[in-house]
Amino acid sequence: QGSIRMTGDRVVAEFDDNRALKDVFVKGRPAYFKQTPDGGKEDIEGQALEVEYHASKNQLVLIKEARLNQGERSFEGYRINYDTKRSVMIGRGGPQDDAKDNAGAAKPGGRIKVIIPPKPKPAAAADDDKAARVVSHGCREQLEVANVFANR
């Protein structure tokens, strides 16, 4: 699980009778969270107007203007539940799925935004792509590229 750091304008921490951490509630404009996972994985950083950490459940909850990042991956929404042990995220776009406006009509719940970058291509695949581009330019270049691959 690694270490977890939280900062904000107001922090309330609750402990059990054995002085073990139970819950942490953080409010801010925004409140911040950072987890440095074990095993050399990339840090996970998040922010929201409210952040809750429930130690016994290994659950972090980011509420209102929530954002969670790990490297180039990002997850944004109204509410994000993050399992710090299993690295699983669940998001919600709005405060309530059944919210109504003043006239009683259903309000849209908002959207979740997720960015997952593509995996980098292995070097051989990148060379194959280059060869394919060069081959399409003419016969002479095709022979030169073929000779490069033959001499490997």
Side-chain angles (χ1 to χ4, degrees):
Q1 177 176 331
S3 65
I4 295 177
R5 178 180 181 194
M6 292 183 280
T7 60
D9 299 329
R10 183 170 178 240
V11 178
V12 176
E14 296 178 357
F15 298 87
D16 66 15
D17 294 337
N18 296 324
R19 300 182 134 218
L21 182 65
K22 267 177 56 176
D23 300 300
V24 179
F25 301 92
V26 184
K27 289 188 178 189
R29 290 257 170 224
Y32 292 95
F33 138 83
K34 181 176 180 179
Q35 179 186 19
T36 302
D38 293 331
K41 296 179 183 174
E42 293 178 302
D43 287 351
I44 299 158
E45 298 180 74
Q47 66 181 47
L49 298 182
E50 299 176 25
V51 176
E52 299 177 2
Y53 177 63
H54 306 286
S56 64
K57 298 176 186 176
N58 295 307
Q59 185 179 46
L60 181 81
V61 182
L62 296 99
I63 305 167
K64 299 178 187 165
E65 301 175 24
R67 182 180 316 161
L68 200 60
N69 299 306
Q70 184 177 27
E72 293 182 36
R73 295 175 293 252
S74 70
F75 197 92
E76 296 178 24
Y78 175 81
R79 180 184 177 114
I80 300 170
N81 292 1
Y82 174 62
D83 183 324
T84 59
K85 190 172 186 177
R86 299 182 306 147
S87 297
V88 174
M89 294 176 231
I90 299 172
R92 188 165 65 193
Q96 297 175 352
D97 292 336
D98 58 350
K100 308 265 187 219
D101 65 14
N102 293 337
K107 286 173 57 176
R111 292 187 158 290
I112 298 290
K113 180 179 176 184
V114 179
I115 298 175
I116 302 170
K119 291 182 181 179
K121 290 183 177 182
D127 288 343
D128 290 345
D129 285 348
K130 181 179 177 186
R133 285 192 300 273
V134 173
V135 167
S136 67
H137 293 313
C139 293
R140 181 174 175 205
E141 291 173 342
Q142 181 177 3
L143 292 173
E144 291 172 6
V145 171
N147 287 334
V148 169
F149 286 106
N151 293 329
R152 283 187 181 181

